[in-house]
Amino acid sequence: VGGIARSGWLLGLVNAAGIASGASVLDTNAAEFRRMAEVNLIGSFTAARAAARHWVEVGLPGAIVNISTAWAFEPSATL
């Protein structure tokens, strides 16, 4: 936010937030799953949407990089 205030333009966005419960799928309740979805999905979407709106408003390009974890490609019994 400070960079936008100084320059008036956001160059890029890196979405790197992510959480996991570490609990078994069978032991994860709906509230914990919602919390993970809120951070991992909704948070990334909200940040990307805000960045895109900024770029449209100022009429300049930008870039979004979404970073995941290697765990996304590893089967696991836990979330």
Side-chain angles (χ1 to χ4, degrees), residues 1-2 12-13 15 17 21 25-26 29 36 52 66 68-69 71 77-79:
V1 175
L13 168 72
N15 274 321
S21 74
V25 172
L26 299 176
N29 62 39
M36 288 186 293
N66 292 308
S68 183
T69 173
W71 288 105
T78 62
L79 291 175

Side-chain angles (χ1 to χ4, degrees), residues 1-73:
V1 175
I4 295 174
R6 284 191 301 274
S7 70
W9 180 40
L10 176 69
L11 295 173
L13 168 72
V14 176
N15 274 321
I19 61 170
S21 74
S24 159
V25 172
L26 299 176
D27 296 330
T28 301
N29 62 39
E32 179 62 14
F33 185 80
R34 278 190 198 93
R35 186 175 82 85
M36 288 186 293
E38 186 72 30
V39 171
N40 299 345
L41 301 174
I42 306 301
S44 293
F45 165 77
T46 303
R49 182 182 61 189
R53 285 178 173 167
H54 169 75
W55 293 318
V56 168
E57 181 182 315
V58 299
L60 294 169
I64 297 173
V65 176
N66 292 308
I67 297 175
S68 183
T69 173
W71 288 105
F73 303 102

